[in-house]
Amino acid sequence: MTDTPSPGSAPSFPATVEDWTAAAAGTLIERLQIRLDEVSADRTTGSMPVAGNTQPAGLLHGGASVTLAETLGSVAAQAHAGPDRAAVGIEINATHHRGTRSGWVHGVATAVHRGRTTAVYEIVVSDDAGRRVCTARLTCMVLAGGDAV
């Protein structure tokens, strides 16, 4: 099992929710049970169960929230980059607003900036009641095909 393409091979980037789900097999996305619902360059949404993604105190782990946020922002950035370029995260920050112990958390990545070399997304993670759990901002570098990962 490998999470990255072998050296010299051209990566193949998914385009649809189904393609992304298949590509996530064996990755952290699958391990955290992140589910994508909508994929586009302007807006990407998804969800993740709290169960199995908690810290010892029983609260949703902050790293799990950030992983959901980075996943959604990265998928959106790749949709922006298109099939001949690659989007790679270069910076993420997050503020955790409240804890949650059960149910699912739902994320929405919204484009803030979609440029030629960078893309920036704000990601809001909310609980089942619609209360904001985390707000994150992700910056991705958009690489030309020859520079792709």
Side-chain angles (χ1 to χ4, degrees):
M1 170 178 71
T2 180
D3 288 353
T4 57
S6 59
S9 68
S12 173
F13 296 106
T16 66
V17 170
E18 295 77 17
D19 292 343
W20 276 103
T21 300
T27 70
L28 185 60
I29 297 167
E30 181 180 62
R31 288 183 199 102
L32 295 182
Q33 301 177 55
I34 293 172
R35 178 185 74 206
L36 293 173
D37 300 315
E38 173 187 338
V39 173
S40 77
D42 289 323
R43 184 175 190 265
T44 293
T45 65
S47 303
M48 176 181 70
V50 173
N53 295 316
T54 59
Q55 56 177 270
L59 293 169
L60 176 66
H61 195 290
S65 294
V66 174
T67 300
L68 174 62
E70 185 164 8
T71 298
L72 298 177
S74 293
V75 167
Q78 185 56 53
H80 163 63
D84 297 329
R85 299 186 298 164
V88 295
I90 59 172
E91 191 271 340
I92 189 165
N93 67 59
T95 300
H96 303 288
H97 305 290
R98 68 181 322 117
T100 187
R101 295 180 180 274
S102 62
W104 286 70
V105 287
H106 312 277
V108 178
T110 305
V112 174
H113 166 76
R114 294 191 308 135
R116 184 178 54 80
T117 59
T118 61
V120 179
Y121 287 85
E122 177 186 59
I123 305 96
V124 174
V125 178
S126 303
D127 64 14
D128 284 328
R131 296 173 299 205
R132 191 176 290 222
V133 171
C134 176
T135 304
R137 188 190 75 229
L138 173 69
T139 302
C140 290
M141 183 181 305
V142 179
L143 302 171
D147 296 329
V149 290

